[in-house]
Amino acid sequence: VSPIPGDITLGGLFPIHARGPHGVNCGELKKEKGIHRMEAMLYALDQINSDPELLPNITLGARILDTCSRDTYALEQSLTFVQALIQKDTSDIRCSNGEPPIIRKPERVVGVIGASASSVSIMVANILRLFEIPQVSYASTAPELSDNNRYDYFSRVVPPDSYQAQAMLDIVKAMGWNYVSTLASEGNYGESGVDAFMQISREAGGVCIAQSVKIPREPTAGEFDKIIKRLMETSNARGVIIFANEDDIKRVLEAAKRANLTGHFLFVGSDSWGAKSSPVTELEDVAEGAVTILPKRASIDGFDQYFMTRSLENNRRNIWFAEFWEDDFRCKLTRPGIKLDPDKKKCTGNERIGRDSLYEQEGKVQFVIDAVYAMAHALHNMHQDMCPGSSGVCNNMDPVEGQVLLNYIRTVNFNGSAGTSVLFNENGDAPGRYDIFQFQMTNHSHPGYHVIGQWTNNLRLNLEEMQWSGGDRSVPESICSFPCKPGERKKMVKGVPCCWHCELCDGYQYQLDEFNCETCPSDMRPVPNRTACRPTPIIKLEWNSPWALVPASLAMLGILATSAVVITFIRFNDTPIVRASGRELSYVLLTGIFLIYLITFLMIAEPGVVVCAFRRLLLGLGMAITYSAMLTKTNRIYRIFEQGKRSVTPPKFISPTSQLVITFILICVQVLGVFVWFGVAPPHTIIDYDELRPPNPDLARGILKCDMSDLSIICCLSYSIVLMVTCTVYAVKSRGVPETFNEAKPIGFTMYTTCIVWLAFVPIFFGTAQSTEKMFIQTATLTVSMSLSASVSLGMLYMPKVYVIVFHPEQNVQKRKRSFKV
C-alpha cells in the first residue's frame, strides 16, 4: 500500500497473494484471506481515527506489505519496517556540489499487525524482536509462538492451537474415548497442533494415541489410500484427531469413501476444518458426525457496509484493489499499452461488491480489527501516561519505545469488535474461546454444521444434541479394549496403558482386584462370577439317602435275627443242642455279631466326638469278638483231634472257662490297640475339602467325617482279618472231624464265604473314583460287607440250630450213648 500518512505508523503483513509456483515468489490473488483482512485493517484505522475518545488528535497511519504466503519473501518485505532503525553511515557521501546529501528517512513503524500464517509470523518475529518492534497477529495459532523467550515481542488476538488441542482432548474425554489416532498435514500448523494434542493427552493420562500419521507436503497418487489403510491397522481407534488443511481433509474423506468406510471414522477436526463447506462437499455421508472446532468469532456488520461500498474511485489507497476488482467481477480493466483479452469482458467500474459478485465476510476480519484496536489502546494508554495534557505526540513518545509499548500492549483489556473482551496473558496469547460444531445431515430441517457446545478454559458440551452416521444418537466407541467382565483380570499390553487382554480367573481362583486373580482358601470356592469366594458346601451321609437306607435295612434285619437267636438260646438254655454248641462262647460270638450289625448305624450317624470314638472302638471290636470266639472254637476242635491221634489224655485249656479266657485275651489285644490310638490321637471330626476338589469348583464339596483315614480303617480291621485268616486255616485243617463235632464244617464254610466277601470289599473300597459319592460308596461298601460277614456267621452257625430247636424239638434230646461194637 502506498503508505497511509499518520502521526504514528503501524505496519501490516497480509497474504495478498498465494505463494507462486517454483521460482516465482507470488501467485494468484487471495480475495478473502488477503484483501478482506487487509481492508479490515484499513477499516479499523478509519474507525480509530474518527473516534474522539480513542487517541484524540493523533492519527494512525499504515504501511501494509504483501507476504505472498511465503516466509522467506515476508522476511525480505519486513526489512522495510526496520530500515528506519538502521543507522546509515553517510559521512563519506557528498553531492556533486559538495553538500551532504539529504536522505529521506523511511517512515518509522512502531508496531506490526500480522502475519497470517504461523510460519511467516515466526520468521518475521525473529527479525522484529532484534529491533524491538511489537507484533500483534490476527491468525497465527502455532503453539511455539507462545514461547516468551524466543518470541518476546509477539502477541496475538487469536488463541494458540495448544488451547484447541486441550479443547479437542476434552471433547475426546467427554465422549468416553481413550484410543484415538492423529492425522496432521506436514508443516508448522499440523505438526505442532498434533504435538500439542499428544503432549497434553500424555500429561492428562487416560487417552492413548493409536498412531500418528503425517500427510506429506506433496502427496503422491494413492498416498491417501495408504493413510486410510494405515489408520485401519488399529481399527478400534475410530476417533481421528485431524489437524490438516482443507485440501488434505477433502482427500482423506474421499479416500475413506473409496475404501467403503463411510461411518467408520469419527473425525475431530481443528479450526482449519471449522465450519467450512468446501472440505465436505459431495462427501457429506463420510463427514457426518464430524466434530469440529472454531475460535468464537462474529461477523462485523460495520465492515460489510464499509467493504461493499468500496469502488475503484474511493479506494485508491489499496494498490491491489484493481487486481481484486478484475478477479471478483471476472472482467478486465483497460490500462494504457495493454491489449484487452478478447475472452474477458471489460470492467465498467460500476460493478458493486455483493451485488455483482458473491461476498461473505472472511472469518478472521474480527481478529484483524481487534489486533489494530489492541495496538491503538496500548498507544492511547501510553500517551495518557507519557504525555499528560498534550494533545498530539509529545517528545516522550518520539520515538515510541518498543519495549514500553510492548508492556502497554500486554496490559490492554477492552471490549473487542465482537463484544468479547480482548486481553493477553503473560505469553501474549489471547484466551481460548471456541465454538464446537458437529456436521449433521440426517433428519434435519437444515443439514450442516450445528453448534453443540463451547470451550472457554473448560468444556460445555451438549451430548443430547449430538448425532452420528445415519442419525444414530448413541455415542460410538473409540476404545482399545472393552472393560473386562466380572471375574476377569486385566493383562496390560506393554507400553499402551489403554489396551489390555482379559483373562478369566480359572479353577479355584477369584478376581482379587483389576489386575490379579487369587486362589480361594482351601475351605472356599469362587462364586459363579468369580468376584469373591463362598464357603464350600459340606456334605455328610444323610439317613434318607439310598447309600444309607440299604445298609441300615440290612443291619436292622441282622439285629432282629441275632436277637431272635439270642432269645431262643436263652429260652432253651439247658437243651442239648444249646449246650453242645458251647453256650458261653456262643453268647460271646452272638455279642460280636450284634456289634458288627450295630457299627452300621455308627458309620451312618453324623460324625461327632462321641460317634467317632465309638466308631474306632466298635469297628474292629465286633469282628474281633466274633473271630476270636470262632478261632478259639476251631483251635479247640483241632487240638482235641490232633491230641486224640497221639494219646488218650485230653489237651489242656478245653474247658469252657479256659476258652472264655483265651477269647477274652484275644479280644483285649484289639481293645488295647484302640485305647493306645485314643491316647495318641483323641477322636475328633474333620472337614475334608481336598477329597472332592474337582476341576469344576461348582462341584466342590467338603466332607464332614471322623479323623479316620482309609488306612486307619484297614488297620482297625487288620487284627480281625488276621484272626479270620488263622481261623480259616484251622477250619481247613479240622474239616475231616466226625459229624458229632458239627461246629467245624459250618465254621469252615463261614470262613470261606467271609474271605470271599472281604476280597470283594477291598477293590470296591479302594477303587472308587473321585466323585461326590465316593465317601457314600465307601461307607456303604464297608457296612454292607460287615453286615454280610456277620449274616454269614449267623446263618451258617446258628440258623440250623434255631431251626431244629424251634421246628424239630424231638431231635433236641440227649442221644443214647452208642455201644462200642466197632
Side-chain angles (χ1 to χ4, degrees), residues 537-606:
I538 295 166
I539 52 167
K540 55 180 192 294
L541 191 49
E542 301 292 345
W543 288 101
N544 55 7
S545 136
W547 297 110
L549 285 174
V550 174
S553 312
L554 283 176
M556 206 63 231
L557 289 171
I559 285 173
L560 291 172
T562 313
S563 307
V565 171
V566 171
I567 291 164
T568 310
F569 266 46
I570 291 171
R571 174 106 168 24
F572 297 96
N573 197 27
D574 287 332
T575 57
I577 288 181
V578 177
R579 285 163 69 184
S581 65
R583 277 175 300 187
E584 298 77 3
L585 272 185
S586 286
Y587 287 130
V588 170
L589 215 154
L590 285 166
T591 307
I593 288 172
F594 187 83
L595 289 179
I596 292 177
Y597 283 127
L598 197 63
I599 193 70
T600 298
F601 296 102
L602 281 172
M603 294 304 284
I604 295 171
E606 182 175 332

Side-chain angles (χ1 to χ4, degrees), residues 676-705:
V676 169
W677 185 13
F678 277 158
V680 174
H684 60 277
T685 54
I686 53 168
I687 299 173
D688 184 350
Y689 291 102
D690 298 334
E691 180 98 346
L692 286 179
R693 215 170 156 82
N696 178 2
D698 291 343
L699 303 175
R701 297 289 182 271
I703 302 170
L704 177 67
K705 54 183 184 183

